[in-house]
Amino acid sequence: MPKRFRLTRRFPVAMTEDGYRRLRRFSQEAGLDEGEALSFLFENFDSILDEETFGIKLRAFNSELEARKR
């Protein structure tokens, strides 16, 4: 029997404009709303992650983060 899909957690999220635009585009392409799209991404995080580039992209994002906050 499939699990019932319920959105049980809500939390305030701060996102960059680029990140939000990409989330909206993904959710529209997938036929989901933004919350459902985020749930899908995080529930399947390990299987959709490219482990070879993840660390590189995370380090680059972190190194630019303070400058982007200003």
Side-chain angles (χ1 to χ4, degrees), residues 3-34:
K3 282 195 294 187
R4 183 167 178 237
F5 188 78
R6 292 183 339 168
L7 297 176
T8 59
R9 302 283 187 255
R10 296 192 182 275
F11 58 99
V13 175
M15 296 184 75
T16 63
E17 279 297 317
D18 290 341
Y20 186 65
R21 279 194 295 272
R22 185 62 188 102
L23 173 63
R24 287 188 52 142
R25 189 172 76 207
F26 168 70
S27 65
Q28 289 172 350
E29 290 170 356
L32 303 169
D33 68 29
E34 287 92 353

Side-chain angles (χ1 to χ4, degrees), residues 30-57:
L32 303 169
D33 68 29
E34 287 92 353
E36 293 165 342
L38 282 172
S39 291
F40 169 79
L41 291 171
F42 283 106
E43 286 179 13
N44 297 286
F45 191 75
D46 292 334
S47 64
I48 60 176
L49 181 69
D50 182 355
E51 293 183 23
E52 292 181 19
T53 60
F54 179 74
I56 296 166
K57 290 183 180 199

